[in-house]
Amino acid sequence: MRLPALVSREDIISLEKKYVWPPYTSSELHETRQPLVIVSAEGDYLEDANGKRYIDGVSSWWSRTLGHNPPRLKAAMHRQLEELIHVAAGGMTHAPVALLASELAQVAPTGLIRTHFSDNGSTAVEVAVKIAFQYWQQNGRPGRHRFIALSGAYHGDTLGAASLASIEEFNRVYGPLLFEIVRPPDVSAGWDKVLSGIEHQLLTRQDEIAGVVIEPLIQGASGMQIHSPEVVARLRELTQRVDTFLIADEVFTGYGRTGTMWAVDQARVTPDLMCLGKGFTAGMLPMAATLATGRVYDGFRGGDERALMHGHTFCGHALGAAVAREVLAIYREEPILEGVAKRAETVARFFHERIARLPGVRRVRTLGSVGAADLGDSGYRGRVGPKVYEAALRLGAYLRPLGDTVYIAPPLNVDERVLDTLLETLEAAIIAATH
Ligand SMILES: *Cc1c(COP(=O)(O)O)cnc(C)c1O
């Protein structure tokens, strides 16, 4: 236990209850539950103030792709801390940002050569939407102000990103503030129907559609719904046919989560815009980015009135950029993606052979390091998922569910024995929660 002197676990909890306003939590729950008080996190583990350790089975909201505090990333951060921490991006630049942008252009799908830096995934999406909209405004298609986004989409919580999402629980409250989205048939109708719906919308409303926004291969927050690379390739064809934009939100799927560096790699396509977050700094610091093709960038040439009028105080934070560069160096120099392929087999085998057979489990699916199982049919309001969560905590794993969908998304380089333990813990927790 490494608690700061004079602050007990009980003090922390009572201050938290009295002063903190946490996300996605009712006031009653916030004021009655006992949150985990985390004192340290290293590698695959979290440690609480009672000295109990938990496997971080969801990489702390999918962000700690390389585990907690990898030494190389800590060292890069320390080095940068001694040099330069942050200056405004207005009229100034520095080595970390310039080098990072050039390195991203090397590693991104061919053609994505420009990077706009921001500080969270929602904003990365928000910026992509504004870029697409403004591009058509000033390049001869001013009627293009609508976006197509899928049922089950999640793209973040700021108003623009939330408009794209179609998760009822998130949109119910803010509906009147959100802009209208063109929505193809529900994914539950099957991908053929979704794709032919999008084709129809694109062909009949091509003067209106500024872009199609997708989470390629895995729709994360709506319950780890997986689709094939052909869906992504088809969407690229369809958007190309009417010359509108494909926007890939890789905030979750990027950096190897699905087995390839980018999910769009599996469809062999380059989107016009690509959004990155979460794994961008391997969850070390809040930093995100929107990547664009040269064509998109060129649509903003021609004077002041055509400039992208979007920016943030922390565009291109030097500390974040230094860490993000080291993340790319790790992917270049260490076999991270090969490691995902190996672990993906373990995850797939366990989910299909063991989890799928448990009474109460309705459906399983896996891709890359992600494995998911549906327990009830109540979606976000489901009560079985939270019981699995409680049981897993008792057994030593942090497995925050998405309602009745329980899943793992551990660090990509999770120790293989820890992965086995995590899978067995999930199995035991499901059994405990459904008996
Ligand atoms: C998490 C997530 C976001 C939002 O990122 P934040 O950093 O939480 O704002 C956007 N899109 C997808 C696909 C995500 O998984």
Short mmCIF file of all heavy atoms in Angstrom, two decimals, residues 62 120-122 154-156 215 249 251-252 278, ligand 1:
data_model
loop_
_atom_site.label_atom_id
_atom_site.label_comp_id
_atom_site.label_asym_id
_atom_site.label_seq_id
_atom_site.Cartn_x
_atom_site.Cartn_y
_atom_site.Cartn_z
N TRP A 62 -10.23 0.85 -22.35
CA TRP A 62 -9.62 0.46 -23.64
C TRP A 62 -8.40 1.30 -24.02
O TRP A 62 -7.91 1.22 -25.15
CB TRP A 62 -10.65 0.54 -24.79
CG TRP A 62 -12.04 0.11 -24.44
CD1 TRP A 62 -12.41 -0.70 -23.38
CD2 TRP A 62 -13.27 0.46 -25.08
NE1 TRP A 62 -13.77 -0.87 -23.36
CE2 TRP A 62 -14.32 -0.17 -24.38
CE3 TRP A 62 -13.56 1.24 -26.20
CZ2 TRP A 62 -15.66 -0.04 -24.76
CZ3 TRP A 62 -14.89 1.36 -26.57
CH2 TRP A 62 -15.93 0.73 -25.86
N ASN A 120 -9.03 14.49 -27.02
CA ASN A 120 -9.84 13.32 -26.66
C ASN A 120 -10.53 12.79 -27.91
O ASN A 120 -10.61 13.49 -28.93
CB ASN A 120 -10.86 13.65 -25.57
CG ASN A 120 -11.86 14.70 -26.03
OD1 ASN A 120 -12.77 14.40 -26.78
ND2 ASN A 120 -11.63 15.94 -25.62
N GLY A 121 -11.00 11.56 -27.82
CA GLY A 121 -11.56 10.90 -29.00
C GLY A 121 -12.81 11.59 -29.53
O GLY A 121 -13.01 11.67 -30.74
N SER A 122 -13.66 12.06 -28.63
CA SER A 122 -14.88 12.75 -29.08
C SER A 122 -14.51 13.94 -29.95
O SER A 122 -15.13 14.20 -30.99
CB SER A 122 -15.69 13.24 -27.88
OG SER A 122 -15.91 12.21 -26.96
N TYR A 154 -21.22 4.46 -31.72
CA TYR A 154 -20.81 5.34 -30.62
C TYR A 154 -19.56 6.09 -31.07
O TYR A 154 -18.58 5.48 -31.49
CB TYR A 154 -20.49 4.55 -29.34
CG TYR A 154 -19.98 5.47 -28.26
CD1 TYR A 154 -20.86 6.29 -27.56
CD2 TYR A 154 -18.62 5.56 -27.97
CE1 TYR A 154 -20.40 7.18 -26.59
CE2 TYR A 154 -18.15 6.45 -27.02
CZ TYR A 154 -19.05 7.25 -26.33
OH TYR A 154 -18.59 8.13 -25.38
N HIS A 155 -19.61 7.42 -30.99
CA HIS A 155 -18.46 8.20 -31.44
C HIS A 155 -18.03 9.25 -30.43
O HIS A 155 -17.23 10.13 -30.77
CB HIS A 155 -18.79 8.85 -32.79
CG HIS A 155 -19.03 7.85 -33.88
ND1 HIS A 155 -18.02 7.12 -34.46
CD2 HIS A 155 -20.17 7.42 -34.47
CE1 HIS A 155 -18.53 6.29 -35.38
NE2 HIS A 155 -19.84 6.47 -35.40
N GLY A 156 -18.55 9.18 -29.20
CA GLY A 156 -18.11 10.12 -28.18
C GLY A 156 -19.28 10.89 -27.60
O GLY A 156 -20.42 10.73 -28.02
N GLU A 215 -17.30 2.94 -37.15
CA GLU A 215 -16.29 2.32 -36.29
C GLU A 215 -15.90 1.04 -37.03
O GLU A 215 -16.64 0.06 -36.98
CB GLU A 215 -16.90 1.93 -34.94
CG GLU A 215 -17.28 3.06 -34.02
CD GLU A 215 -18.28 2.59 -32.96
OE1 GLU A 215 -17.85 2.10 -31.91
OE2 GLU A 215 -19.49 2.70 -33.20
N ASP A 249 -13.69 6.07 -37.56
CA ASP A 249 -13.43 6.36 -36.14
C ASP A 249 -12.68 5.17 -35.56
O ASP A 249 -13.27 4.16 -35.20
CB ASP A 249 -14.76 6.59 -35.42
CG ASP A 249 -14.57 6.80 -33.92
OD1 ASP A 249 -13.43 6.67 -33.43
OD2 ASP A 249 -15.59 7.08 -33.24
N VAL A 251 -10.82 5.31 -32.86
CA VAL A 251 -10.43 5.66 -31.48
C VAL A 251 -10.25 4.39 -30.64
O VAL A 251 -9.32 4.29 -29.85
CB VAL A 251 -11.47 6.62 -30.86
CG1 VAL A 251 -11.22 6.81 -29.37
CG2 VAL A 251 -11.43 7.98 -31.57
N PHE A 252 -11.14 3.42 -30.85
CA PHE A 252 -11.01 2.14 -30.13
C PHE A 252 -10.21 1.12 -30.93
O PHE A 252 -9.33 0.44 -30.39
CB PHE A 252 -12.41 1.60 -29.80
CG PHE A 252 -12.43 0.19 -29.25
CD1 PHE A 252 -11.57 -0.19 -28.21
CD2 PHE A 252 -13.31 -0.75 -29.76
CE1 PHE A 252 -11.60 -1.49 -27.70
CE2 PHE A 252 -13.34 -2.05 -29.25
CZ PHE A 252 -12.48 -2.41 -28.23
N LYS A 278 -7.55 7.18 -27.38
CA LYS A 278 -7.26 6.02 -26.53
C LYS A 278 -5.80 5.52 -26.67
O LYS A 278 -4.92 6.02 -26.00
CB LYS A 278 -8.28 4.91 -26.79
CG LYS A 278 -9.68 5.35 -26.37
CD LYS A 278 -10.69 4.24 -26.31
CE LYS A 278 -11.95 4.71 -25.62
NZ LYS A 278 -13.10 4.92 -26.48
C1 LIG B 1 -14.05 6.10 -26.61
C2 LIG B 1 -14.50 6.39 -27.99
C3 LIG B 1 -14.70 7.71 -28.43
C4 LIG B 1 -14.61 8.89 -27.50
O1 LIG B 1 -13.34 9.10 -26.99
P1 LIG B 1 -13.16 9.98 -25.65
O2 LIG B 1 -11.69 10.12 -25.50
O3 LIG B 1 -13.80 9.20 -24.55
O4 LIG B 1 -13.84 11.27 -25.88
C5 LIG B 1 -15.03 7.92 -29.75
N1 LIG B 1 -15.17 6.90 -30.61
C6 LIG B 1 -14.99 5.62 -30.23
C7 LIG B 1 -15.13 4.54 -31.24
C8 LIG B 1 -14.66 5.32 -28.91
O5 LIG B 1 -14.52 4.05 -28.53
#
